[in-house]
Amino acid sequence: MPLHVPPAPAPALRSVLTALASPTAVREARTPSLLRAQGPVTPELPLPVHVLDGTATRLTGWRFLIRCGERSVAAAETMLTADGWAFSHFFEGPYIPSTERALRQAEVMQQPYQPRLLSIPALYMLALWLHGDCAADAATGRLAATDLLVPLAPAPPGIAAHRPHRAAELLPLLTHRLTPAPLLSSPA
């Protein structure tokens, strides 16, 4: 079943296109694969990036995979500012091929999903969030118990990358890891 990729806000896409057209922005990005790209580069697969705060999520940006030919060579991220959507940065690394792999896995699932990214900064974790409501506004929405989370590689120890989990099953494990251990009292 195909994924229902939400359209990115037009200003977010324009900010990425402007950055890609800027030799200075590309040169200063410290992304060797983007610098070495031969041929045109295009932003594709816009995914809203949400951050998990406790049990709530909030939109923090949009991520675009930057393609050159048949492969992604980098990613670009935008952020919401007081003036609207703005380019944030280019980057490369293991989350790019991991995102592509997770998206390919999701495309063959029986149920349609709206793909999003879920960041859990305290665990240094990123997951593909497969939201069950394909018509939902990608900027809003709660993490439903039946939504799927696919941890991207590298995943934290004890959490298998690329294994889909129902949110209701994975969130308690993550919440437990995020809860600070109680302080031990010292003997009197």
Side-chain angles (χ1 to χ4, degrees):
M1 181 85 25
L3 294 174
H4 296 272
V5 179
L13 177 57
R14 276 194 306 273
S15 72
V16 171
L17 290 170
T18 300
L20 282 170
S22 166
T24 304
V26 171
R27 191 173 44 254
E28 292 179 0
R30 295 194 177 102
T31 51
S33 59
L34 187 57
L35 285 169
R36 289 190 305 264
Q38 298 294 314
V41 291
T42 57
E44 295 182 1
L45 287 170
L47 296 172
V49 180
H50 294 259
V51 171
L52 183 65
D53 287 329
T55 58
T57 63
R58 64 181 166 80
L59 180 71
T60 59
W62 282 80
R63 182 171 295 175
F64 298 79
L65 295 179
I66 306 299
R67 284 206 170 286
C68 181
E70 293 298 314
R71 66 183 205 96
S72 293
V73 295
E77 195 148 317
T78 63
M79 62 183 178
L80 189 57
T81 68
D83 296 325
W85 289 101
F87 172 75
S88 175
H89 62 282
F90 291 116
F91 64 95
E92 59 185 53
Y95 284 129
I96 295 167
S98 187
T99 300
E100 289 182 309
R101 177 179 171 185
L103 287 167
R104 282 192 306 273
Q105 283 178 277
E107 284 178 343
V108 298
M109 293 181 176
Q110 295 300 314
Q111 182 177 338
Y113 289 103
Q114 182 189 82
R116 304 171 174 196
L117 291 172
L118 183 65
S119 175
I120 304 122
L123 296 177
Y124 301 100
M125 181 177 172
L126 187 64
L128 179 64
W129 171 9
L130 298 172
H131 191 52
D133 182 359
C134 295
D137 178 356
T140 61
R142 299 183 55 99
L143 190 58
T146 56
D147 287 351
L148 293 181
L149 296 174
V150 181
L152 300 181
I159 297 175
H162 298 287
R163 182 175 169 255
H165 301 268
R166 294 249 177 250
E169 297 164 359
L170 187 59
L171 282 180
L173 174 64
L174 299 178
T175 304
H176 175 71
R177 288 183 175 203
L178 293 171
T179 306
L183 295 175
L184 298 174
S185 60
S186 58

